[in-house]
Amino acid sequence: MAKAPVLTPRADDFPRWYQDLINKAELADNGPVRGTMVIRPYGYGLWERMQSDMDARIKQAGVSNAYFPLFIPQSYLTREAEHVEGFAPELAVVTHGGGKELEEPVVVRPTSETIINEYFSKWVQSYRDLPLLINQWANVVRWEMRPRVFLRTTEFLWQEGHTAHASYEDARDFAARIHRDVYGDFMFNVLGIDVVLGRKTRRERFAGAVNTLTLEAMMGDGKALQMGTSHELGQNFARAFHTQYLSKEGNQELVWQTSWGASTRMVGGLIMSHGDDNGLRVPPRLAPTQAVVLAIKEDEAVLDAARKLAARLKEAGVRVEVDDRTDTPFGRRAVDWELKGVPVRVEIGPRDVAAGTGMLARRIPGGKEPVALDALPAVLPGLLEEDQAQLLRESRERRESRTVDVATVGEAVEAAATGWGRIPWADLGDEGEAKLAEQGVTVRCLLGEDGSVPDSNDAPGTIALVARAY
């Protein structure tokens, strides 16, 4: 009889494959409250690497980290009508504390525009206080009706940036800078995902924003996933919270603002972009462990060779781990590392020690070949860069091959069954967008004819990218 596959094949049942992989690669588990998740150490290690890299980029943009409370007075949310209306169905509200009914209910943070503006209005007095650039790493709660681990959970982890500026142009340019230089660059060059940078339609933009910039990625099944967003808030929140400053000319002016965020949803995007029927494939620049050295048998010479190789790889800048669990069958350990998507395995047994070689298994392109152990420290960094480039190339090729030009709503719905459709926004418009929504298809973003981000929704030649989405 044929051996049953470790994972449900993607072609048979993509959602089942996704859940299998999360469980068997030990990335996460379902929490005790519906819609929550427990992120296991290996999954959290991926998030930590994402967090560290993005945090450096955010700070390079001149932003400082801070922290604001988890509980927000309900009255804060009601000050910006469009904002509270947009979030009302997702709010978790606390009415009792310390055994007593609270005088005012408090909302568990769904996002922090309101509470941060309360403090921005205190901190900003003069044009000298601007721009004010703040970010926080936190958890948020949005009551999710159709949860899916990493993609849509009631509680998730993220960063949220909030800034105040003296002019519309400064705020607009900063939102675009985060969109391009923090999120876009990170997703292309670290996650190896060929995201599309675009502009949301009025229907799809963030509640309370005047413009939302988005990064959309095509998953392995052809659906879209929003990987991050950067919002121009205009003066909506400044007006509601009286966040104003004394200009150089001596006038009281409202600030112009941005907010932007990316979350643990990126882990789900990583899985669905790069995973295959054997498990996860982690981009080498992201991988907490880039190479694992496996000692095949309990043998002092083998263990010594494995540890010495790991030390030399570490000196060469490779993040490496030694697997010396020789009381666990070698085949099971190899499958576990395959599931976790570690880019490289080096397998060493007694015969390898005698020959001065090891078996090199590369997770991303696949295949195994013998390699001289002495050569690996010089060779491996280059191979890891090749593998990083391959993942980005595969992501781009998938998106390009499964995106087609369409002319009608019907053709757009048909294209969205297997991938994405491109249609002139002037031909689709708000009415066509509403008809697509009835079929479970959304306009993921608007693009210029050359693929750039348009300056407005109505810019000539604007193209709508449409798809089914997670």
Side-chain angles (χ1 to χ4, degrees), residues 96-118:
H96 289 71
K100 297 179 180 179
E101 186 172 354
L102 301 178
E103 289 185 13
E104 179 185 354
V106 296
V107 172
V108 183
R109 171 176 55 217
T111 181
S112 299
E113 279 76 8
T114 57
I115 192 167
I116 287 177
N117 262 281
E118 175 73 12

Side-chain angles (χ1 to χ4, degrees), residues 130-267:
L130 299 172
L132 180 55
L133 312 175
I134 294 292
N135 176 65
Q136 77 166 346
W137 292 94
N139 62 336
V140 292
V141 170
R142 298 178 184 178
W143 215 259
E144 185 58 54
M145 296 297 104
R146 293 178 296 278
R148 187 171 296 181
V149 174
F150 288 123
L151 301 178
R152 289 189 176 276
T153 48
T154 296
E155 179 192 14
F156 55 91
L157 307 180
W158 77 347
Q159 59 72 214
E160 51 176 320
H162 300 267
T163 71
H165 304 261
S167 70
Y168 160 73
E169 291 80 10
D170 195 34
R172 176 201 63 197
D173 292 348
F174 197 81
R177 179 181 179 184
I178 294 295
H179 185 226
R180 178 186 64 248
D181 297 343
V182 174
Y183 295 157
D185 190 68
F186 170 73
M187 292 171 193
F188 280 116
N189 292 314
V190 179
L191 297 188
I193 298 176
D194 188 55
V195 290
V196 173
L197 280 67
R199 179 187 183 100
K200 286 291 190 184
T201 63
R202 294 177 184 87
R203 180 189 183 102
E204 292 291 324
R205 71 190 177 199
F206 179 72
V210 298
N211 180 36
T212 290
L213 302 172
T214 183
L215 301 101
E216 302 288 329
M218 181 183 283
M219 301 295 98
D221 62 351
K223 288 185 180 179
L225 182 71
Q226 179 181 288
M227 298 283 285
T229 47
S230 182
H231 314 290
E232 297 173 40
L233 301 180
Q235 295 179 309
N236 290 346
F237 290 90
R239 191 170 292 108
F241 286 83
H242 309 293
T243 311
Q244 53 191 3
Y245 69 99
L246 188 67
S247 71
K248 288 181 180 180
E249 294 73 30
N251 302 318
Q252 286 290 333
E253 305 279 357
L254 293 172
V255 300
W256 297 82
Q257 292 183 272
T258 78
S259 69
W260 28 275
S263 74
T264 38
R265 172 181 284 197
M266 290 190 295
V267 180

Side-chain angles (χ1 to χ4, degrees), residues 340-402:
K340 287 181 165 63
V342 170
V344 167
R345 298 195 312 274
V346 184
E347 301 164 358
I348 301 177
R351 291 181 183 176
D352 300 304
V353 173
T357 63
M359 189 61 71
L360 178 67
R362 293 171 66 186
R363 179 68 182 90
I364 291 162
K368 296 171 74 168
E369 61 179 343
V371 61
L373 297 181
D374 287 345
L376 264 179
V379 170
L380 196 53
L383 296 181
L384 292 172
E385 282 301 298
E386 287 179 15
D387 294 350
Q388 178 80 30
Q390 178 174 331
L391 287 178
L392 180 60
R393 185 169 60 251
E394 288 179 3
S395 175
R396 179 174 297 123
E397 288 171 353
R398 177 174 61 244
R399 179 179 63 80
E400 290 178 346
S401 68
R402 298 176 72 171

